[in-house]
């Protein structure tokens, strides 16, 4: 049931769970590096595909580990990787949550709340950089990313209409032999 | 004011059955398309069910955001813990994750079957572009909320370089940078309050 690849994935997920301040976006860079370059569970294009699916799927971005688990060893892989990413952080939350709540008005607690943000920002950009680098975007894809980013940043459009428009456009471009 | 968490919601314990808790979080898990989960959770837990007051909900939200883990899942687990103890936390976690897990597996199966088609590859490339764009947007929006001060900006840049470019271990970088970042924030806040 648990082969070496799956065991490696689980052992990767547990510590990441405990440092995933800010959720799935912040651990993407490390997931990409570890699963592709270090553990060789996936190749670069495969990781980009799974990243695309996880960003288009509902629910937390953290569920990308379910997709990696599925690629590595099917249904059990998906279930165990999901448990490995959610359970450690949940246990920590249950243990430390009430302590935090009681002391949240202290100056240090307020500083901790604000001090996590710069780390999360750095990690999110690191994730974007890691995926963009391994995806080796063509000029058309780069333009798509920048265009989609501009739409998401400057309008109130949610990600789903943008995903739908881009998905259909790329399908048509592919039929026309242009992408 | 600063009651232990266990006290909050105690008097309503009998109203919150495991089944009702599971139903609520399955419903929330199924509506987790496209974000805005804090709002949906507030609507379900505070407005519809009346299990927590506004004030209790806000405290819970802060805890969920500070602790590691996906924020909507943390919020669910912590609400479950408050309402029904450890069993409640497990029920909330299960309910919140199951619908998204099922959908993502269905997408994974579809991907396995379609990935040899060039059209499917093209669509996935397109979706990856939007995924990158939406992560980038999230990074920019979070960065805008940072203090307009050199320290947090340098901190974010240093973390980006260490994890993104130099590929250092995320666990080590986070463990090392959080105390530094919190201490720096403490100092910046104190300087600011002194004027």
């Amino acid at each position: 049931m648990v082969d070496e690849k799956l065991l490696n994935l689980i052992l990767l997920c547990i510590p990441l769970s405990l440092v995933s301040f800010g959720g799935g976006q912040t651990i993407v860079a490390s997931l990409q590096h570890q699963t592709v370059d270090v553990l060789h569970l996936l190749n670069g294009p495969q990781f980009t595909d799974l990243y695309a699916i996880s960003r288009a799927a509902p629910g937390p971005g953290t569920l990308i580990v379910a997709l990696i688990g599925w690629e590595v060893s099917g249904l059990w892989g998906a279930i165990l990787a999901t448990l490995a990413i959610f359970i450690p952080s949940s246990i920590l939350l249950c243990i430390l949550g009430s302590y935090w709540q009681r002391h949240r008005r202290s100056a240090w607690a307020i500083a901790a709340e604000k001090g996590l943000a710069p780390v999360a920002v750095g990690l999110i950009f690191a994730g974007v950089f890691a995926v963009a680098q391994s995806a080796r975007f063509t000029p058309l894809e780069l333009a798509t990313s920048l265009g989609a980013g501009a739409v998401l940043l400057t309008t109130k459009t949610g990600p789903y209409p943008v995903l739908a428009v881009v998905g259909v456009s790329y399908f048509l471009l592919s039929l026309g032999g242009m992408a | 004011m600063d009651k232990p968490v266990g006290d909050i919601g105690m008097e309503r314990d009998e109203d919150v059955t495991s089944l009702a808790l599971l139903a609520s979080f399955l419903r929330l898990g199924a509506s987790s398309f496209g974000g805005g989960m804090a709002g949906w959770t507030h609507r379900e837990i505070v407005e519809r069910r009346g299990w927590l007051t506004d004030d209790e909900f806000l405290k819970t939200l802060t805890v969920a955001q500070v602790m590691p883990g996906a924020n909507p899942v943390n919020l669910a687990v912590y609400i479950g813990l408050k309402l029904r103890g450890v069993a409640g936390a497990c029920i909330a976690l299960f309910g919140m994750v199951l619908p998204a897990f099922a959908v993502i597996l269905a997408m994974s199966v579809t991907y396995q079957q379609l990935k040899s088609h060039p059209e499917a590859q093209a669509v996935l490339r397109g979706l990856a572009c939007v995924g990158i764009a939406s992560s980038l947007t999230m990074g920019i929006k979070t960065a805008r909320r940072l203090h307009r001060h050199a320290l947090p900006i340098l901190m974010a840049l240093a973390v980006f370089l260490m994890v993104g470019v130099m590929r250092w271990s995320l666990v080590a970088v986070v463990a090392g940078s959080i105390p530094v970042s919190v201490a720096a924030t403490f100092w910046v806040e104190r300087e600011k309050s002194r004027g």
Side-chain angles (χ1 to χ4, degrees):
Chain A
M1 184 172 102
V2 179
D3 57 9
E4 198 192 330
K5 280 183 164 187
L6 181 55
L7 188 65
N8 283 336
L9 178 62
I10 293 168
L11 293 178
L12 169 66
C13 286
I14 291 170
L16 285 184
S17 171
L18 295 173
V19 295
S20 60
F21 293 96
Q25 292 302 298
T26 54
I27 60 168
V28 165
S30 186
L31 272 179
Q32 194 268 346
H33 179 54
Q34 291 291 327
T35 57
V36 176
D37 306 330
V38 179
L39 299 171
H40 305 290
L41 301 176
L42 304 167
N43 58 39
Q46 263 179 319
F47 186 90
T48 310
D49 286 355
L50 299 187
Y51 172 81
I53 296 172
S54 78
R55 296 299 291 159
T62 326
L63 274 177
I64 188 175
V65 303
L67 293 173
I68 299 173
W70 179 268
E71 280 289 317
V72 169
S73 46
L75 183 59
W76 272 112
I79 293 172
L80 293 178
T82 304
L83 293 177
I85 207 74
F86 285 121
I87 290 190
S89 60
S90 297
I91 292 175
L92 194 68
L93 170 73
C94 291
I95 295 171
L96 292 183
S98 57
Y99 179 81
W100 176 268
Q101 203 168 15
R102 262 176 274 142
H103 296 280
R104 79 203 157 85
R105 289 187 197 282
S106 79
W108 278 103
I110 292 165
E113 239 170 79
K114 292 185 179 169
L116 291 175
V119 178
V121 167
L123 292 177
I124 294 173
F125 281 110
V128 170
F129 182 75
V131 178
Q133 211 182 23
S134 81
R136 297 178 203 284
F137 281 156
T138 63
L140 171 69
E141 289 164 350
L142 196 62
T144 309
S145 300
L146 294 176
V151 169
L152 291 172
L153 204 57
T154 56
T155 69
K156 292 201 169 186
T157 318
Y160 289 100
V162 182
L163 282 165
V165 169
V166 170
V168 171
S169 309
Y170 271 66
F171 182 71
L172 295 176
L173 282 173
S174 169
L175 284 184
M178 283 178 288
Chain B
M1 191 72 222
D2 285 330
K3 287 189 294 185
V5 201
D7 291 359
I8 300 172
M10 270 307 197
E11 68 275 19
R12 291 186 298 270
D13 251 5
E14 286 162 40
D15 301 341
V16 186
T17 64
S18 300
L19 207 61
L21 204 60
L22 182 63
S24 270
F25 282 107
L26 278 172
R27 179 207 294 261
L28 283 171
S31 55
S32 61
F33 251 101
M37 280 314 290
W40 288 115
T41 310
H42 180 268
R43 186 174 295 185
E44 173 73 21
I45 302 299
V46 179
E47 292 173 23
R48 185 166 166 272
R49 298 282 201 176
W51 283 339
L52 293 178
T53 64
D54 270 325
D55 187 46
E56 288 162 355
F57 182 82
L58 281 178
K59 287 179 190 166
T60 308
L61 186 61
T62 312
V63 175
Q65 284 168 342
V66 170
M67 300 298 279
N71 290 343
V73 176
N74 277 355
L75 186 59
V77 168
Y78 202 53
I79 290 173
L81 181 75
K82 281 184 166 190
L83 295 174
R84 285 293 311 275
V86 172
C90 296
I91 292 170
L93 176 62
F94 178 78
M96 197 70 176
V97 173
L98 185 68
F101 181 80
V103 171
I104 210 167
L105 279 201
M107 290 170 79
S108 181
V109 172
T110 315
Y111 161 72
Q112 303 286 345
Q113 287 178 342
L114 294 180
K115 69 178 170 186
S116 53
H117 295 271
E119 293 84 6
Q121 276 303 324
V123 171
L124 269 181
R125 295 287 294 184
L127 298 186
C129 295
V130 183
I132 295 262
S134 102
S135 300
L136 190 63
T137 307
M138 184 194 253
I140 292 171
K141 283 181 177 165
T142 318
R144 278 179 185 165
R145 291 203 299 266
L146 292 184
H147 271 302
R148 297 203 175 280
H149 191 286
L151 278 177
I153 294 166
L154 284 175
M155 196 75 219
L157 192 64
V159 169
F160 167 75
L161 290 174
M162 288 187 285
V163 174
V165 180
M166 292 185 283
R167 301 294 172 99
W168 289 2
S169 148
L170 177 90
V171 176
V173 170
V174 170
S177 62
I178 282 184
V180 177
S181 185
V182 170
T185 310
F186 185 77
W187 183 78
V188 171
E189 292 280 308
R190 207 183 49 179
E191 291 295 298
K192 206 172 58 179
S193 66
R194 279 178 184 172

